[in-house]
Amino acid sequence: MGSHIPQPRHIVIIGGGVIGTTTAYYLTRHPAFNPSIHHITLLEATSVGAAASGKAGGLLGLWAYPTCLVPLSYRLHAELATEHGGAQRWGYRTLECGQLTATVKEGGHPAQSPTARTRKRNSSGLPKQDVQDDWQKLPKQDAAASALLRPSVLPEDLDWINASLVREYAEMGLPGFTETAQVHPYQFTTSMAALARERGAEIRVNTKVTCIGLNKSGTAVSSVEYLDRAINETRTLRGVTDVVVAAGPWTGRLWPRARVEGLRAHSVVFTADVSPYAVFTDISLPNDWVPAHRAARGEKRKHRGNVDPEIYARPGGEVYACGEPDSKIPLPETADQVECDESQCDDLISYIGTVSPVLRSAAIAAKQACYLPRHMRFGKESVPLIGGTSVGRLWIASGHTCWGIQNGPATGKLMSEFIFEGEAKSADIAELDPKRFKV
């Protein structure tokens, strides 16, 4: 009988991104949650949604990965939107999704400046200061998602793409598997935080966690130390019963055994009101094509002939686009210290402008960068980590790469089940168990 008596809990969530805020939300909605004996504290080093959760694309897809998590999370997104007015509050809507292949012909590009052609060459045979890293692909579509594409004609209302350049178009065309929707990620993340706060969760911003304290035997969590950045003082939360590390790319800094690290990705937001499509691209460029801003500086840009930016129309007259990731700048201490390389954003704008006259002439509302959290094993990206670790009541919910917004609700709901019921009930996510990876 005694085991059924509710026990006091002090649950600390580290991270104010989509995973941390949805975890707080679902903890406060769990049937076992009792605000008189259960205290939830979310600690965020900067502000809610300041990192990738505020700068992501916000795409939701039944074709996302991992498949053990996606169907539950896609359904929960729809339920959250219905319950809380998500269409108005965070831009939830369904939309069409497709992939196009386009060719930019010779002569349809900015000419290289004479200085770019005649600058002195170094020992490698390349012009000095001309060498740029190769364009790298974001990991949004895996092989399984690509297999769901069906050849189609370019939709008539996809009129913000120059149809004369498009060689092929394929749509996500397998009903029951390819439904696609979206949210505005910053609005969704901050709404989840606000809804959790309404039910009793305490959210502290500008609180950078510096140490997760364990009991004397090292077998369970007992405290969390953090720096209050507003007053530059270190504080300690004691009597902690559960710690959920949902710190995105900073997870590996707090708990190195998790092996979660960051990969920087740039994005831009256009001011444009266009038809609701999420478009994956494969754009072939002439070998000597150079973005105008680089040509003006006498630079070149290596693109291997193809680039593949992703473009998502959003409600409210904006279009989000993301491009290549890079590992040039190490992950900073906090999200407010992330450096944005404007040249990479300008590259992205230039590439998209080759196939979209509408976006080429649109105003730019934002140029930004964030770090995607990746769980790495043997030098390769692995599945996200969701569940308990080898340390009692220390939980990990991180490593979601580019699908954090999509998989946030399922992760939050499952974390609430782990904490209050001891196991995941809503989905079988054994393959994501941190203990499988000796975390």
Side-chain angles (χ1 to χ4, degrees), residues 16 25 32 35 44 66 101 123 139 142 179 187 199 233 239 243 248 294 304 343 407 409 420 439:
Y25 172 89
E44 163 53 43
T101 302
S123 58
D142 61 3
E179 280 75 2
Q187 294 169 3
R199 287 287 186 93
E233 286 188 7
V243 174
R294 290 194 182 274
R304 291 184 178 175
S343 286
N407 291 326
F420 282 127
V439 177

Side-chain angles (χ1 to χ4, degrees), residues 293-315:
H293 64 282
R294 290 194 182 274
R297 296 198 299 262
E299 296 178 352
K300 288 188 176 181
R301 184 70 167 103
K302 291 166 65 179
H303 51 68
R304 291 184 178 175
N306 288 76
V307 292
D308 45 25
E310 302 166 14
I311 315 169
Y312 314 146
R314 281 179 176 169

Side-chain angles (χ1 to χ4, degrees), residues 100-104 133-137 167 281-287 289 301-309 324 351:
L100 63 83
T101 302
T103 300
V104 177
D133 289 341
D134 284 320
W135 176 276
Q136 299 179 57
K137 188 175 176 63
R167 301 200 319 269
T281 70
D282 182 1
I283 304 169
S284 298
L285 298 169
N287 290 333
W289 193 94
R301 184 70 167 103
K302 291 166 65 179
H303 51 68
R304 291 184 178 175
N306 288 76
V307 292
D308 45 25
E324 61 186 324
Y351 297 143

Side-chain angles (χ1 to χ4, degrees), residues 34 78 113 121 179 197 210 271 284 288 294 396 400 417:
N34 182 345
S113 66
R121 296 181 176 264
E179 280 75 2
R197 187 186 287 113
T210 53
T271 300
S284 298
D288 61 348
R294 290 194 182 274
I396 301 284
H400 293 68
E417 294 170 354

Side-chain angles (χ1 to χ4, degrees), residues 83-136:
E83 182 176 355
H84 299 295
Q88 295 75 34
R89 191 165 182 175
W90 56 76
Y92 176 86
R93 69 177 180 182
T94 58
L95 78 168
E96 299 299 315
C97 181
Q99 177 172 298
L100 63 83
T101 302
T103 300
V104 177
K105 300 175 178 61
E106 295 285 346
H109 59 279
Q112 286 181 260
S113 66
T115 51
R117 290 195 295 268
T118 59
R119 292 174 68 183
K120 185 178 179 182
R121 296 181 176 264
N122 61 22
S123 58
S124 67
L126 293 171
K128 287 186 177 180
Q129 299 180 357
D130 279 2
V131 182
Q132 303 292 327
D133 289 341
D134 284 320
W135 176 276
Q136 299 179 57

